[in-house]
Amino acid sequence: MTPTTNSRALAIALAMAATSLSATARHEVSPVMSASASVSQTEVAKAFDNDNTTAWTVDATLLKKPQWIMATVANPGDVQSITLTQKGATADQLRKAIEIYVTYDPMNLGEPVDFTVATDRPTSNTILKFPAKYGAHVRLAIKPGVISRTWNIYEMAIAIEAGDSVADDSGIDRSYLDTSLPIDRRIEILLAQMTPEEKMELIREGWGIPGVKRLGIPDIKKVEAIHGYSYGTGATMFPQVLGMAASWNAPLLYKVTEAIGRESLDAGSIAAWSPVLDVATDPRWGRCEESFGEDPYLCSEMGKAWVNGYQSLGLITTSKHFGAHGAPLGGRDSHDVGFNEREMREIHLVPFRNVFRECRPQSVMMSYGDYMGVPVGKSKELLKGILRDEWGFDGFIVSDCGAITNMTSRKHYTALDKIEAANDALRAGIATNCGDTYNDKEVIRAATEGRLDMTALDDVCRDMLRVMFRTGLFENNPSRPLNWDKQFPSWQSPEHVALAREMARQSIVLLKNEDSLLPLSDDIRTIAVIGPGADNLQLGDYSGKQLPGQIKSVLDGIKASASPSTGIIYSKGCGFTTDDPAGLADAVAAASKADVAVVVLGDYSGHPSIDGEKRPTSGENHDLASLRFQGMQQELLDAVCAGTPVVLVAQIGRPYDLSSASRQTKAIIVNWLPGQEGGLATADVLFGNYNPAGRLPMTFPQSAAQLPLNYNFKTSGRRYEYVDMDFYPLYRFGYGLSYTTFAYSNLRISTLPDGNVEVKADVTNTGSRTGDEVAQLYITDMYASVKTRVMELKGFRRITIEPGQTHTVTFTLTPYDLSLLNVDMDRVVEPGDFKIMVGGMSPDFTAKDHIKDSLGYPEGRGVTGTLRYDIPAAARYEFAITDISHNLTDGSDIVTVNVTNSGNLTDTGQLTMYVDGTRTGDTRHYELNPGQSKAITFTVPSPEGIGSPWKSLNFISRHSSIFHNR
């Protein structure tokens, strides 16, 4: 059948399909917000444009390989059917060729649904019917070799079950809208009027928090915004996060995220599922590109800038993925190593702690992994004890997509079914479920029947409502429905475009510059621009759709910056991931005609997508076993380097093995995934219009065989090297070159009366160009009661220095900066010697015995000194039972214990209650500064509800206890 141009025919077919699905349920066609496909990506929108004369077309030859098309619906719900206006496939072929996936998490498709194929007689449209399944994404996977002709999908309509009608709103006590009342009182007034179904609706995730219309509970529209507003077309796309971390410029990042916040607010999204605070310790992990690198201090400082910039507009941030998500086993996403508490508190919890204590974000996303062997989705230790008790978090917790259901047999086998998983998650305090658990019909039914933990459900609803009241959303809610096609006033504003270019320039790292090949001369005659990334700049994961001409490639930048007399030859050479060598000869020919070849290799992120490429090589769930350039890229570099001098531009979302490239090329720059202005910024550096000063936020190894290889390692009990490879990285953490040179001198270290340590050093520009230097402070605890890291970053400053000028950098170290976790896991400062090092990169060392003694810098590259610190520091906790009250409602007793830190150092602790010798309730955590107190309440339950018959209470901490007899 050739599709009719009458769109009414499709509407009739959809109505008939909905009617045939159920005699009682109501259904509606969901608008599609976005669509993607394995091929013909630029044409896929034609399957959803309500125009039967346009189509997404798959050529018969392409159908010999697996293909797919995926749609994202505007309103997540129970998907019932798909109606296709199509040509080229019979009903029998569709039954055999298609697998239908309905999912909330496109990274975890789950199992395909069972479906039937029917033909609507009046329109000849094809209706694919299946049992309702909740989801936001619908994917048709097409098996190879079944459909033999070219296949056209003119329209693909997705029917979902319509929501229930709004309940009667008469008799509602709306005093919760009274802003003069305390927030806690407003919460209780509102919560008392919510039905179980409404409570479950409040914690359902559907492009944000859906709200509850009957009670006027506002919705919260969210967006992924790590490097730009991603739920639209034409928002300004800044460099991917790892690139911005390479700028080592937190104030500039603040400006970037303030701009992203403005673009989010203009689009009606008020919550960002960002930033990523994971410490990325394995470059094989695909999500390195979203992180701020391998060091907890760098992640903390850049993370605070991200959060403060976005929150400066009154918006909500959701830091993720809590915790230890950035160090998966073998680099495989969410495959846990199983870190102990020491490793967690020394590395992976640090950025979250610093951001939550200092920036007070309103939301956090838990991770897919586990904490101390317990899935994070049920870890009260992590989500209550550490997050809430220690750090004072009082916002709401979001589950990563599918993480709650993962506790069933789908992944972790710690819950028999979704109801048990939901109870575990609620008791851990998870308020919002990205996934298919809280919205599951059986789980909702369990809530109405009291089979869910209703106390825990009320608690997470309180968390959600508290944020809504605190941010004034009941009075003024800027949230608006998502619109993927509209451009908003701040998008692509001159200020934001200029900011994207500046951040891209500051992010670029110069790794090699043999014979001062760079910057390129203005009178260079011919430049060959080669590689799959040369004219296809990849933005990285979680990027919005782009307008025509929005992305400026390296080729675009070179054309704009080169002299009019310079000839430019372009050759793609090969794809990012394909194995076709056909273009190598053309690339070699192009290079042979040029004075220099600029070769752009790296990652394929799928943003923008390219027909014919395999799966992305970087981004969420795209991990690599090796760190070798994929496809024929290394072969291309080998071939081109045979003659002409080569500048390698590594357009990457993670460290790569550049060992061969470092030998073959004259110069190497890393421009990361540099955002929409990245090509122009790269050309600014290539031609010397900008002096590069980016520094590596992650170590670049010689080989993936060395991994993990982080700069802040601990000492070895034997050797460091392999038989066939030494221990050292190819390019170390904090490294980066400039077109000028800097020298360090005059290190001054002084202990101040308050116990802080002031460190000063002079930095002189000894070259002929103005440039930025990133001065970095590292410390080493020379001798301690436990093993400590060989070196740790404790400060950095990016400064601009003119030729011949000297700038003094000043850092302050606090006692906490000098502290460690001792054998009892107490945080203490142990008097002794600390090596203090300030330089333009992480220090040199000799990987042999006495490794700490070998730390330092070559002459002028940094300065090293010793701090003798003689002030011991530790917390000292005192406890007192200050109140015991009786709860007349349930007969329990409420016991209040006051905890005071009378010591001279911030530290954590735990307090456990024993009732008549039996451990009762959750262990409570605390983290207190010197002189700070905290009241902790415990509940002594009453089994009969008429009063608890306890005789003694004992409260035990790590080093002391208090006893109370009735």
Side-chain angles (χ1 to χ4, degrees), residues 386-403:
I386 294 176
L387 178 64
R388 295 191 185 276
D389 285 353
E390 291 185 20
W391 302 343
F393 175 73
D394 63 350
F396 63 90
I397 302 173
V398 179
S399 83
D400 207 342
C401 295

Side-chain angles (χ1 to χ4, degrees), residues 538-556:
Q538 291 290 295
L539 295 173
D541 214 348
Y542 292 110
S543 298
K545 295 183 178 180
Q546 299 84 51
L547 297 170
Q550 179 176 339
I551 301 176
K552 290 84 172 180
S553 69
V554 173
L555 179 62
D556 293 332

